[in-house]
């Protein structure tokens, strides 16, 4: 829904405020996510986590059609409570289910489903709004389709195999159980957050995910309804392709883990810097001219291409973050904790981003400048961690796999 730009509404400010509320609550639910897994298991954590999305879509529908605002905020709150544990669960599954040599492809495959929803929603949105070349909001019929799809989420979750049912080619058993007391689990989660390596990547997480509010607000402010619909459709396709290319590269075992980690880092951060230079020039110009670009307008290409590149880099940044944290976790239980911490930290940054984007001057220009600054601040601390992947940190994924094997098999592997 966010890929519609401002959730499809005419102005981004209410929706950005609602998203800020969602992400604030997600920080809390992510922090307690390993405790939830301890109580009900990873599968039911995922299922319950899907239940808040349809009420939020319903709030956007009633606001779009009837001007109701309270349900947007109430739906955002319900989404924030549930989505935090959903985000942790899906991330932990993506990090734990595949074999080490399939980790990158599996991450790409998982995030393909994530943008698959965006592509489907974009196609629906484009079909409904293809004739609307003016600024404004999307048709309320778009939300009806979203509500129906999101209401199916809990039922789709029932199809997920439990970790004990997963059959892998290397015969390693997937164990995602949490056996510590609630108090100890919260202590271990806090200890992991304050570890040196995790704190050093907090700015990297920030510069990556802060972009979501920036790019979708950019789309909503400067493009027509049907241009936004086209953007939500095509950007999903671009993100899907880029994410799977990166995933395949990260699994390229003919290159050392150190080489893959460093090459991906340098490429992603260099591209991101280039897009921020481009964005800074454009929004400074747009603040003076206040355009609304439709796809038949002169100058549409420069704004639309930037939006596609920002979405592409958001996807590969996102995938790379999971690659990095997968190389910081020492055990399967720690994978669950670090997935919750990553999603919680991500939510905190996005709460700030959407909150700041609800202020008009920041939405139009200020947040692009701020995100550019975050990118610059993140480079050195992140490099201090990335340079250790495959060297002093070793290959954590393989080490976790060896620990999970029976003793005689582990000795043979070693």
């Amino acid at each position: 829904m966010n890929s519609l730009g401002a959730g499809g509404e005419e102005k981004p400010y209410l929706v950005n405020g609602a998203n800020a509320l969602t992400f604030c609550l997600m920080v809390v639910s992510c922090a307690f996510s390993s405790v939830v897994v301890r109580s009900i298991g990873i599968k039911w954590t995922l299922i319950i986590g899907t239940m808040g999305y349809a009420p939020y879509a319903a709030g956007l529908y009633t606001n779009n059609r009837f001007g109701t605002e309270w349900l947007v905020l109430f739906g955002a709150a319900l989404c924030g409570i549930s989505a935090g544990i959903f985000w942790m669960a899906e991330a932990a599954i993506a990090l734990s289910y595949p074999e080490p040599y399939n980790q990158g492809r599996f991450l790409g495959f998982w995030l393909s489903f994530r943008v698959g929803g965006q592509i489907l929603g974009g196609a629906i949105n484009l079909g409904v709004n293809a004739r609307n070349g003016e600024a404004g909001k999307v048709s309320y019929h778009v939300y009806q389709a979203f509500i129906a799809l999101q209401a199916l989420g809990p039922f789709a979750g029932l199809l997920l195999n439990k970790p004990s049912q997963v059959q892998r080619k290397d015969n390693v058993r997937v164990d995602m159980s949490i056996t510590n007391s609630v108090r100890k689990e919260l202590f271990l989660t806090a200890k992991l957050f304050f570890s040196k390596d995790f704190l050093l990547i907090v700015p990297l997480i920030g510069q990556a995910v802060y972009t979501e509010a920036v790019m979708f607000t950019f789309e909503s402010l400067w493009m027509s309804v049907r241009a936004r619909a086209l953007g939500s459709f095509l950007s999903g396709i671009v993100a899907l392709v880029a994410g799977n290319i990166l995933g395949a590269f990260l699994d390229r075992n003919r290159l050392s883990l150190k080489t893959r980690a460093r090459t991906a880092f340098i490429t992603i951060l260099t591209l991101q810097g280039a897009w921020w230079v481009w964005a800074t020039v454009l929004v400074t110009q747009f603040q003076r001219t206040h355009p609304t670009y439709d796809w038949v307008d002169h100058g549409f290409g420069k704004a639309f291409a930037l939006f596609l590149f920002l979405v592409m880099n958001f996807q590969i940044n996102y995938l790379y973050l999971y690659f990095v944290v997968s190389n910081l976790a020492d055990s399967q239980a720690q994978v669950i904790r670090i997935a919750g911490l990553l999603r919680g930290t991500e939510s905190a940054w996005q709460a700030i981003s959407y909150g700041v984007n609800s202020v008009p001057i920041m939405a139009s220009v200020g947040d692009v400048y701020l995100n550019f600054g975050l990118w610059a601040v993140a480079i050195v601390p992140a490099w201090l961690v990335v340079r250790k992947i495959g060297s002093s940190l070793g290959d954590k994924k393989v080490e976790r796999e060896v620990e999970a094997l029976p003793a005689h098999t582990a000795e043979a592997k070693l």
Side-chain angles (χ1 to χ4, degrees):
M1 292 186 295
N2 280 337
S3 68
L4 302 177
E9 302 294 351
E10 182 172 3
K11 298 295 182 182
Y13 311 117
L14 172 64
V15 175
N16 283 346
N19 281 336
L21 173 62
T22 295
F23 286 115
C24 282
L25 290 170
M26 286 177 67
V27 173
V28 179
S29 56
C30 282
F32 287 90
S33 56
S34 64
V35 175
V36 178
V37 172
R38 177 186 179 274
S39 301
I40 62 176
I42 195 73
K43 177 175 179 176
W44 283 102
T45 300
L46 183 80
I47 291 170
I48 292 173
T50 66
M51 295 180 178
Y53 287 93
Y56 190 17
L60 293 174
Y61 166 77
T62 57
N63 179 255
N64 180 286
R65 189 171 184 183
F66 307 113
T68 306
E69 295 186 355
W70 70 267
L71 189 55
V72 175
L73 298 174
F74 182 68
L78 290 179
C79 187
I81 293 169
S82 70
I85 61 173
F86 173 78
W87 276 24
M88 178 285 304
E90 62 167 352
I93 289 167
L95 294 174
S96 298
Y97 276 28
E99 301 87 354
Y101 51 84
N102 281 326
Q103 180 74 86
R105 289 183 180 87
F106 198 90
L107 287 172
F109 188 54
W110 161 51
L111 292 177
S112 294
F113 279 104
R114 183 178 180 274
V115 297
Q118 177 180 330
I119 294 169
L120 178 60
I124 295 169
N125 187 24
L126 184 59
V128 172
N129 295 287
R131 297 181 182 275
N132 189 349
E134 305 297 326
K137 58 188 179 182
V138 303
S139 168
Y140 65 81
H141 295 297
V142 173
Y143 298 104
Q144 293 172 335
F146 285 159
I147 293 167
L149 289 171
Q150 290 166 346
L152 294 173
F155 302 100
L158 293 171
L159 301 175
L160 179 71
N161 283 336
K162 295 179 181 179
S164 59
Q165 297 172 316
V166 175
Q167 297 181 5
R168 291 174 32 163
K169 292 180 180 179
D170 58 7
N171 295 318
V172 174
R173 178 175 173 267
V174 178
D175 183 6
M176 301 183 70
S177 59
I178 297 288
T179 57
N180 297 312
S181 66
V182 172
R183 183 175 180 179
K184 185 174 182 180
E185 193 56 38
L186 291 174
F187 169 76
L188 291 172
T189 300
K191 182 180 178 181
L192 182 58
F193 176 81
F194 288 106
S195 63
K196 179 183 176 181
D197 286 340
F198 191 85
L199 288 176
L200 284 172
I201 65 167
V202 167
L204 182 69
I205 299 170
Q207 67 83 31
V209 302
Y210 199 96
T211 308
E212 183 179 84
V214 176
M215 64 193 185
F216 290 136
T217 299
F218 174 89
E219 180 193 29
S220 71
L221 287 175
W222 311 122
M223 297 184 194
S224 69
V225 171
R226 66 180 182 181
R228 288 157 63 183
L230 180 65
S232 65
F233 177 64
L234 289 183
S235 63
I237 295 174
V238 170
L240 186 149
V241 172
N244 281 283
I245 291 173
L246 176 60
F249 172 76
L250 293 175
D251 280 342
R252 196 174 179 83
N253 291 323
R254 283 183 289 180
L255 299 174
S256 68
L257 177 61
K258 179 174 73 173
T259 299
R260 284 175 274 151
R262 295 182 178 189
T263 302
F265 176 81
I266 292 169
T267 302
I268 293 168
L269 272 294
T270 300
L271 287 173
Q272 192 70 58
W275 309 147
W276 287 132
V277 172
W278 186 355
T280 298
V281 172
L282 286 190
V283 298
T284 303
Q285 174 189 335
F286 293 169
Q287 180 64 9
R288 296 194 303 268
T289 59
H290 297 283
T292 299
Y293 285 112
D294 187 46
W295 62 48
V296 298
D297 295 335
H298 176 72
F300 168 73
K302 64 183 179 183
F304 191 72
L306 173 62
F307 173 71
L308 294 183
F309 284 132
L310 287 174
V311 175
M312 178 194 76
N313 245 70
F314 180 83
Q315 180 80 350
I316 59 177
N317 258 298
Y318 213 63
L319 191 152
Y320 187 71
L321 288 175
Y322 287 96
F323 169 78
V324 171
V325 299
S326 72
N327 282 283
L328 300 181
D330 294 319
S331 65
Q332 293 293 350
Q334 205 167 71
V335 168
I336 295 175
R337 295 184 200 113
I338 206 164
L341 287 175
L342 174 57
R343 304 316 289 257
T345 305
E346 174 189 336
S347 298
W349 279 110
Q350 289 188 303
I352 296 169
S353 178
Y354 278 107
V356 172
N357 264 277
S358 65
V359 179
I361 188 63
M362 294 302 293
S364 58
V365 292
D367 254 8
V368 169
Y369 304 158
L370 180 56
N371 211 160
F372 197 174
L374 282 174
W375 165 84
V377 168
I379 294 173
V380 172
W383 175 251
L384 296 177
V385 177
V386 169
R387 68 176 183 173
K388 296 192 292 183
I389 296 175
S391 54
S392 60
L393 282 177
D395 190 334
K396 295 289 188 181
K397 177 72 174 174
V398 172
E399 292 170 12
R400 291 195 303 269
E401 301 301 305
V402 171
E403 281 188 12
L405 287 170
H408 66 280
T409 311
E411 288 172 6
K413 278 200 168 236
L414 291 172

